[in-house]
Amino acid sequence: MSLSRWLPHPMLTLLLTGVWLLLVNAPSLGHLLLGAFLGWGIALLCSGFMLEVPRLRRPLRLCTYMLMVLWDIVVANLHVARLVLGSTRKLRPAFVEVPMDIENEFVLSVLACIVSLTPGTVSSGLSADHKTLLLHGLDVADDEALIAQVKSRYEAPLMEIFECSTT
């Protein structure tokens, strides 16, 4: 029997053990052992649901990408606040289908989360073949402009950051 079968995600086990110790706020050998057991058990039970994370090709680019996404979230919050506080007749909600070039499920999940974290857009679904992401936009003036923005601002950098296959 291999070690990876009994300890499928060692980093997750360590992370969960650390979180447990922070939560109990009383470090002791008993809490360390209990946290390690819980971390190991949760990682073992969830191993069938874990997505394969592709190799990180450009870690520095990931840092700048995260800062850009954070900036986009702040700017979108201000834009949505202005839209919501203004006349609702000016809103142009729409569902838009965005064709995906990413094939890796983990990177697709990251992209869907980023789109949903940016106020004003929500990822609403993914086609069965993982080739089309359905987005809902609160104020969509041009479908093609939204598609181009998602692909250039979010999808392309993710494909550059991670080693993932493309179509």
Side-chain angles (χ1 to χ4, degrees), residues 13-82:
T13 301
L14 286 174
L15 176 71
L16 292 172
T17 302
V19 168
W20 175 259
L21 290 174
L22 290 172
L23 285 173
V24 295
N25 199 22
S28 69
L29 181 60
H31 282 300
L32 176 64
L33 292 174
L34 179 59
F37 176 74
L38 289 173
W40 168 77
I42 290 170
L44 188 64
L45 287 172
C46 294
S47 63
F49 302 106
M50 298 288 199
L51 296 175
E52 179 186 337
V53 178
R55 192 173 80 76
L56 192 60
R57 186 184 318 166
R58 308 227 4 232
L60 260 41
R61 177 75 172 107
L62 177 62
C63 294
T64 59
Y65 182 74
M66 289 180 356
L67 289 172
M68 186 237 0
V69 169
L70 185 62
W71 175 255
D72 286 354
I73 290 170
V74 170
V75 169
N77 267 302
L78 295 171
H79 180 70
V80 168
R82 188 174 49 96

Side-chain angles (χ1 to χ4, degrees), residues 8 14 28 43 56 62 71 79 104 117 122 134 138 142 155:
L14 286 174
S28 69
L56 192 60
L62 177 62
W71 175 255
H79 180 70
N104 183 279
L117 282 172
V122 175
L134 180 65
L138 181 63
D142 180 16
E155 184 185 34

